[in-house]
Amino acid sequence: MERRHLAECGSTNTEALAHLRDGGGPLIVSASRQTAGRGRLGRAWQSDDAALTFSLALPLPAELDLSGLSLAVGCTVADVLDPAGTRIQLKWPNDLFLDGAKLGGILIETVPLPGQLRGVVIGIGINLAPLPPEADRSAFASGHAALRTLDPAATAAGTLDRLAPALQAMLADFANLGFTPWQAAFARRDLTLNQRVRIGDKPGIARGVSGRGELLLDTGTGVLPMSGGELSLRLENAL
Ligand code: BTN
């Protein structure tokens, strides 16, 4: 896949979306510095050399079901960075945690394209070093972790070199098989499994994820499959 590195941009997701709108093919765009990076739920993700920030841009068939894609991306990143599976956990639907604190996040955005296609952008941000005090990353309101705690020699370029082929392989499989093959892998790293949580304003106990990547919320009177990129999941003890 073509790769492009920018010294600075607003957001690698914005760059990737514009590339797809212009008729571009598969691309990985990374940046040393983002001045208007964004996370889910309208949160800011500005970043500098202390983070790896990149986006994969892909034109895909419009009918492809993207349910669970952010979870499959999370599993792939976690398996590359922590193959033993002991330190990195995943918090539905898009957060990477290291030793119990947020290490990074995933933001998937789409754009309609001509010819039965949809442009899919998978943005990934991973902290390499602790955030400077002035950093505006509201996505980390409740604390953050840094990859160099796990791998002191980790660099942005080296980490991207390790992640890119694994993500490409995952995407080829996902296009054929959907999320189901990653359901067990997600369960092994599921941060909130059997914990009291709140999704939006709904309290319950998290019972893992379905084969479509929905969070299964046990409300006491039944198990509700919850989906949607704009839902926030909070651990009850972190309320
Ligand atoms: C979140 O934690 O809410 C998701 C954060 C996603 C941040 C990445 S950094 C690379 C890409 N460009 C962006 O503007 N956002 C994503």
Side-chain angles (χ1 to χ4, degrees):
M1 196 182 292
E2 187 192 337
R3 271 169 58 173
R4 196 175 293 167
H5 182 77
L6 306 170
E8 182 178 301
C9 67
S11 152
T12 57
N13 266 30
T14 304
E15 296 289 330
L17 287 165
H19 168 81
L20 290 170
R21 271 191 208 102
D22 290 348
L27 173 73
I28 293 179
V29 53
S30 54
S32 301
R33 208 172 109 81
Q34 288 190 134
T35 54
R38 52 184 183 270
R40 284 174 65 245
L41 310 167
R43 293 167 180 153
W45 184 293
Q46 292 188 359
S47 53
D48 55 19
D49 290 334
L52 165 63
T53 50
F54 69 102
S55 303
L56 277 111
L58 295 165
L60 291 174
E63 76 275 6
L64 184 71
D65 181 6
L66 301 179
S67 311
L69 179 57
S70 69
L71 310 188
V73 170
C75 288
T76 305
V77 172
D79 284 350
V80 168
L81 301 180
D82 172 36
T86 53
R87 307 270 304 265
I88 296 185
Q89 286 186 293
L90 300 169
K91 178 166 170 278
W92 185 93
N94 80 320
D95 286 343
L96 291 146
F97 272 61
L98 171 61
D99 301 337
K102 182 160 168 171
L103 172 69
I106 298 157
L107 178 67
I108 297 181
E109 296 179 301
T110 61
V111 56
L113 296 177
Q116 316 293 318
L117 292 175
R118 174 163 55 172
V120 178
V121 167
I122 303 171
I124 302 178
I126 296 172
N127 296 324
L128 297 175
L131 293 178
E134 70 280 6
D136 177 7
R137 270 191 258 171
S138 48
F140 290 94
S142 52
H144 65 276
L147 186 61
R148 288 193 185 126
T149 314
L150 184 65
D151 173 8
T155 61
T159 306
L160 181 54
D161 285 346
R162 293 170 66 202
L163 292 177
L167 288 166
Q168 279 174 250
M170 180 278 293
L171 287 163
D173 288 343
F174 189 92
N176 292 317
L177 304 167
F179 171 67
T180 312
W182 283 273
Q183 193 180 0
F186 185 85
R188 285 193 289 277
R189 296 189 191 263
D190 186 349
L191 182 81
T192 62
L193 185 64
N194 297 328
Q195 305 285 316
R196 296 204 71 82
V197 297
R198 196 176 277 270
I199 299 191
D201 58 2
K202 258 194 201 354
I205 299 178
R207 298 291 189 204
V209 297
S210 72
R212 302 191 68 235
E214 299 145 321
L215 187 114
L216 300 173
L217 184 69
D218 184 346
T219 60
T221 52
V223 176
L224 297 178
M226 310 292 291
S227 61
E230 294 309 309
L231 285 175
S232 79
L233 168 67
R234 288 177 296 163
L235 275 161
E236 276 283 36
N237 60 13
L239 289 176

